[in-house]
Amino acid sequence: TLAVLHEAADAAGPLEAVHGDLCPDNILVRAPGPASALAPAVVLVDFGLARFRGARRPVDGTFRGTAMYAPPEAARGEALDTRSDVFALALTLLHVASRKAPRRKQSAPAWLVSIGEDSVVPYAEAATAHLDPAVAAALGQAVAHDANQRPESGRAVLRLLAS
């Protein structure tokens, strides 16, 4: 689903779509069964923070999104791109796999400073200890603090998982 969003295009070219707030509340998974055979298995919802073709986030100093899953660049007020979505999705998957929250709750300002400065790689290493090594490696790369070290899109994460 994220790969499809990241690859969306129109007559003018790639939309450069970024969801901007991937978290458990914004990812719906349908239950298996005959009634849902034609429905997509996973659906992304709440596109209120989505950006297309490089549109920037509002710069009024207000953080928008779900802080627990926010990538460092969001906390620093920098532009988001597909790698930001990859980070948030990977952190969400790590939370589901480990059943432990990726970040402890703090005051909003302290949380944003923490997100912008602190790596979640130690959390990822602990959270992936029981996963298949290829899955663990892909998720670990996807939560790199430096966006340039992450896979560039949902499709790139799928390629990592397939290798």
Side-chain angles (χ1 to χ4, degrees):
T1 301
L2 187 59
V4 172
L5 173 68
H6 288 166
E7 294 168 353
D10 64 11
L15 292 178
E16 300 171 17
V18 177
H19 185 279
D21 190 22
L22 289 176
C23 65
D25 290 343
N26 294 337
I27 303 168
L28 304 180
V29 180
R30 72 166 163 82
S36 61
L38 298 178
V42 177
V43 178
L44 301 180
V45 298
D46 190 358
F47 284 81
L49 296 177
R51 298 289 180 264
F52 303 92
R53 288 206 178 94
R56 297 187 59 85
R57 294 169 59 104
V59 289
D60 62 2
T62 303
F63 175 81
R64 291 172 175 83
T66 307
M68 187 175 292
Y69 306 94
E73 55 273 20
R76 294 189 300 258
E78 299 169 0
L80 303 183
D81 64 18
T82 54
R83 297 168 300 178
S84 306
D85 281 348
V86 165
F87 180 98
L89 179 61
L91 208 52
T92 297
L93 294 173
L94 289 169
H95 187 176
V96 170
S98 69
R99 296 184 181 148
K100 293 182 183 169
R103 298 180 168 122
R104 64 183 180 89
K105 293 192 177 192
Q106 314 173 58
S107 69
W111 207 340
L112 291 177
V113 168
S114 173
I115 294 167
E117 295 179 356
D118 298 334
S119 170
V120 295
V121 170
Y123 165 78
E125 289 171 351
T128 60
H130 65 285
L131 297 178
D132 176 272
V135 172
L139 292 175
Q141 186 177 348
V143 295
H145 194 73
D146 179 353
N148 293 318
Q149 302 300 315
R150 293 181 212 141
E152 68 274 5
S153 68
R155 181 73 56 203
V157 173
L158 291 174
R159 282 193 300 269
L160 278 174
L161 292 171
S163 60

